[in-house]
Structure formats: C-alpha cells, structure tokens
C-alpha cells in the first residue's frame, strides 16, 4: 500500500477517536492498518499514548503488527508518558504487550519499570523481567535486603527474581525467601514459595529446581475451512499466530475424532485431541515415536479433574484405573472435528501468549513452551510416581466439534495437558474464568 493510503487510514482512526472517543473502538480498522502498513502502527500507538490515554482493544490488536525494530522506541515513549502521569492505560498496554512480544525492548529499562510499576497489581506486572538473565539480580537482592523498603516492594523484588527463570536468580530468591515470606492466598510460607515457583514454571525437585515447561514450542496450524462458525469481524482469525507457515519436517497429524481407548469413568470412547506422530523433539517426551493425546471431554472437569492416561509403547492413551461407580456424564460432548493439522515452529515473537491479553484474537492451541494459565498454575502430581508433571500442550476454546458445534473448556477457557516422562503418563485439566 502507498504511504498515502496508510496516512489516510491512520487519520480516519484518529478522527473517529476524536469525535466519538475510544468507545468508537475502531478494532477492525486498526487491525487492517496493522496488516497493510505495520510501520503506521507506531504512529497510531504513539498518538494514542499521547492523546487517548484510555487506550482500548483497538490498540492491543494493532500492537501485534508493530515491526520488531519499533518496540524500543514505543516502550521509551510509553515510559515517558507514565513518568509524566502514572495513569495512562494506553502506555500500560504497550508495556504489557511488550512483555509478551518484545522482551528485549524492556530489558534496558528495568530500573524505570520497577519505579513506575506499569500494570501494578496485575499478573503481568513483572513480565518485563522474563528472559532478562542475571542482569537485574543485584538491584533486586538489595531491595529484598532493605528493611526500610515497603513490604510490597520487597515482595515484588523477590517475585521478579523468580520471573527471570534464570537459575542463578532463582537460587538467590530461594536463599532469601525467609526475608519476605511470600504472601500467596491460601498458602502458608513454605507452600507459598512453591506456589510462586509454579507460577514461574518451576518446582523444587530434591535439592534442585526443575523447569516445568519444555523448550520445544509449536503452534497447531488448522486446515482451511476447519472453522465454519461465523465470527464477528473484529474476532476474525487473522492474527499472525493463525497464519504461521507449517514446518516441512512434520507430516500432517490427526486431530480430533475418537481414539480407541475407553474412558474408565463413563465407559465411552476417548476423544482424540492430537496424534503426535512423530513426537517432535524438545518436548520432554522420550522413548516414544508417537504419542496419542486423548481424554474424555464430557468427564474432564465436569465429573473429575485432573484425568490421567498411561501411554504404552505404541503411544495409545489408556485411562488410569478408576474405582468408582460408572458415571453418566451430565454434559455429553461430541468429539472435536476430525481433521489433519500441521505444526509450525513458533517464532520468538509468539513464544509468550496470554489468554486475557489475547482477548480471543490469537491462536492459543500450542504444543510445548510455557502454558498460559488463566488461574493459578496447576501442574498435577503424577498418579504413578508422585512427581510434579511438566507442561505438554494447551488447547483453546471455540474448536469445532464433529456436529457443527463449538467446544468450550468450561465457559471458554483453555485445556491443559501435562506429562510425566518417567511413567509415560499424560494429565488433563482445564481452567476458565
Ligand atoms: Zn468419560
Ligand atoms: Zn510419574
């Protein structure tokens, strides 16, 4: 598109905001601007931070198209705005989305971020410290050890050390845990430390710390025509995570339909989620060439959770023994629509995704990587060996079923699959709001 066309589109969005306020919510126009002229997203975001500090969904949606090399500038501008006035939701949104899509742009600004506290009180307040290694460890340690600093800030500094996920920083945090007594609703001090570790994808394992998220990360790429249900235009599946190029090294894989195994609770046939054939490397799954991930959609969560399955050498899912009476599910469910999907190696920009900040725009069905919890982290204990299970896969809601319906996890959350590689056991649960 010619630059003049981008200027015209940008001008139209800003005029609508001026005339009707952010309630005009020009989401489709902002996405269209981002798709056709990514460079113009910088100008849009800068203008919104400056003149429409309430921000809005249209800004969040447009930020997904900001060119990688423009984040540094936009982050600086957002922090300047917060320096002038702490109440700028548009600036907060820029920092929140940078905390997912552009972490390096935040790492030179960690002092300012600690002082200004954009998004204070949200679950993403400390995300800027993710992947920052050990560069900001010493300032946090000094804060934790400073008896003159408010408790809340000392706790924040402690949680920041965990959020880095850097082994050195995490070790320092554990050594200093008794200085802060991390407050986690419903947990005593010792359990509170573990709950905070889990939230950062970590767990104590003997004398060490184990990461619960595998390094490998792949998005599921659905075939054309897979989603039939119409969506309002502002929720069209156009986000870059919906249009990733499938990786040629993986063949098409079976998704949805029924598996061979039987649900031990209701005696119905299991529902296949995906048949990983072959299993990609770096997922923490060893010794199996193929892994059929399956569960019982009517029983999972509505009757019991988590549900567990053993996987034999052929990868098939077999329900872990259940000793109660046979259940008649309250909510019978069709299988997910059977199809062949592809896997795409996830680009770095989409390594971190969040259900709330995605706001139904992004493809959140992914294998490996860090889970996007909606509630607190829930890694089940393996029913066979008792060890905490690692993350393996998550599936978003709104997946089509065989009967033309749409599958929702609860009220529209995410289904999570975990894995114990020692025992070859998968665990399933879901979360929603
Ligand atoms: Zn069942
Ligand atoms: Zn186990």
């Amino acid at each position: 598109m010619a630059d003049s066309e981008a200027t015209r589109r940008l001008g139209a969005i800003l005029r609508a905001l001026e005339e009707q306020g952010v309630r005009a919510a020009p989401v489709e126009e902002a996405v269209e601007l981002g798709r056709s002229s990514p460079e113009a997203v910088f100008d849009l975001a800068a203008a919104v931070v400056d003149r429409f500090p309430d921000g809005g969904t249209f800004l969040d949606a447009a930020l997904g198209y900001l060119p990688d090399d423009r984040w540094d500038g936009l982050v600086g501008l957002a922090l300047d705005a917060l320096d002038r006035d702490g109440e700028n939701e548009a600036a907060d949104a820029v920092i929140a989305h940078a905390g997912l899509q552009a972490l390096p742009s935040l790492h030179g600004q960690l002092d300012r971020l600690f002082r200004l506290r954009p998004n204070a009180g949200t679950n993403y307040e400390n995300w800027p410290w993710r992947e920052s290694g050990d560069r900001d460890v010493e300032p946090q340690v000094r804060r934790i050890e400073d008896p003159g600093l408010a408790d809340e800030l000392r706790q924040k500094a402690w949680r920041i050390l965990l959020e880095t996920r850097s082994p050195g920083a995490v070790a320092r945090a554990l050594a200093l845990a008794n200085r802060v007594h991390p407050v986690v609703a419903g947990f005593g001090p010792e359990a509170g430390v573990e709950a905070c570790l889990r939230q950062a994808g970590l767990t104590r394992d003997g004398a060490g710390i184990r990461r619960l998220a595998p390094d490998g990360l792949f998005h599921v790429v659905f075939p054309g025509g897979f989603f039939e249900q119409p969506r309002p235009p502002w929720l069209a599946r156009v986000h870059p995570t919906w249009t990733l190029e499938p990786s040629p090294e993986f063949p098409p894989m079976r998704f949805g339909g029924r598996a061979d195994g039987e649900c031990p609770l209701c005696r119905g046939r299991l529902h296949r989620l995906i048949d990983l054939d072959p299993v990609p490397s770096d997922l923490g799954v060893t010794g199996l060439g193929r892994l059929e991930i399956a569960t019982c959609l009517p029983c999972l969560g509505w009757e019991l959770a988590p549900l567990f399955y053993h996987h034999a050498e052929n990868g098939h899912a077999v329900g872990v023994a259940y000793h109660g009476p046979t259940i008649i599910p309250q909510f019978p469910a069709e299988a997910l629509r059977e199809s062949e999907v592809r896997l795409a190696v996830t680009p770095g920009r989409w390594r971190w995704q969040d259900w709330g900040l995605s706001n139904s725009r992004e493809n959140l069905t992914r294998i490996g990587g860090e889970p996007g919890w909606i509630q607190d982290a829930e890694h089940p204990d393996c029913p066979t060996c008792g060890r905490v299970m690692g993350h393996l896969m998550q599936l978003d809601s709104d997946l089509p079923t065989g009967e033309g319906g749409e599958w929702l996890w609860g009220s529209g959350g995410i289904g999570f699959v975990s894995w114990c590689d020692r025992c070859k056991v998968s665990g399933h649960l879901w979360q929603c709001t």
Side-chain angles (χ1 to χ4, degrees), residues 133-374:
D134 292 336
R135 63 190 297 161
D136 202 40
V137 170
E138 293 312 323
Q140 305 310 335
V141 169
R142 280 198 295 278
R143 288 175 182 127
I144 294 166
E145 289 178 333
D146 178 359
L149 199 63
D151 248 14
E152 191 189 351
L153 294 178
R154 295 172 62 233
Q155 293 241 0
K156 175 178 168 70
W158 188 82
R159 283 172 183 255
I160 281 172
L161 293 182
L162 296 190
E163 199 67 74
T164 65
R165 292 156 166 80
S166 148
V170 172
R172 298 292 290 276
L174 291 181
L176 291 165
N178 58 350
R179 304 277 191 110
V180 291
H181 298 298
V183 177
V184 182
F187 293 96
E190 204 42 38
V193 170
E194 178 66 18
C196 292
L197 280 169
R198 299 275 181 100
Q199 209 63 34
L202 304 164
T203 187
R204 285 183 203 265
D205 198 350
I209 293 291
R210 176 161 56 101
R211 283 191 57 213
L212 292 168
D215 289 331
L217 173 57
F218 309 88
H219 269 79
V220 174
V221 181
F222 297 97
F226 181 69
F227 296 95
E228 285 177 328
Q229 292 272 349
R231 272 191 154 189
W234 61 88
L235 290 179
R237 292 182 175 90
V238 295
H239 187 270
T241 49
W242 285 113
T243 54
L244 295 173
E245 223 20 74
S247 304
E249 68 261 41
F250 300 115
M253 297 189 187
R254 290 170 83 195
F255 186 91
R258 296 275 181 170
D260 290 335
E262 180 183 78
C263 171
L265 279 67
C266 71
R267 305 282 163 207
R269 265 178 75 196
L270 294 181
H271 297 75
R272 182 189 302 115
L273 301 178
I274 191 170
D275 198 352
L276 294 175
D277 184 11
V279 182
S281 54
D282 301 327
L283 287 180
V285 179
T286 62
L288 293 178
R290 171 187 171 203
L291 177 62
E292 174 194 65
I293 303 178
T295 188
C296 179
L297 294 178
C299 286
L300 179 63
W302 300 109
E303 307 298 342
L304 194 66
L307 293 179
F308 298 100
Y309 305 89
H310 285 292
H311 295 264
E313 252 169 54
N314 62 8
H316 281 165
V318 178
V320 164
Y322 161 78
H323 302 292
T326 299
I327 283 171
I328 299 165
Q330 309 166 65
F331 304 109
E334 290 300 322
L336 299 179
R337 184 171 177 189
E338 192 159 5
S339 65
E340 286 198 328
V341 298
R342 304 292 303 265
L343 300 189
V345 175
T346 302
R349 183 158 180 171
W350 308 113
R351 180 173 142 71
W352 300 95
Q353 287 179 282
D354 177 70
W355 180 84
L357 291 176
S358 151
N359 204 2
S360 300
R361 286 185 302 270
E362 303 173 15
N363 177 7
L364 299 179
T365 297
R366 28 190 271 170
I367 297 161
E370 299 263 356
W373 301 112
I374 296 173

Side-chain angles (χ1 to χ4, degrees), residues 97-150:
H97 288 277
L100 291 166
Q101 302 174 43
L103 284 164
S105 70
L106 299 168
H107 292 163
Q109 307 271 13
L110 295 177
D111 272 347
R112 274 179 108 188
L113 285 160
F114 193 94
R115 180 168 55 81
L116 294 169
R117 285 191 74 180
N119 304 301
T122 65
N123 62 321
Y124 39 95
E125 173 180 352
N126 297 326
W127 289 356
W129 281 266
R130 288 175 171 179
E131 298 180 14
S132 67
D134 292 336
R135 63 190 297 161
D136 202 40
V137 170
E138 293 312 323
Q140 305 310 335
V141 169
R142 280 198 295 278
R143 288 175 182 127
I144 294 166
E145 289 178 333
D146 178 359
L149 199 63

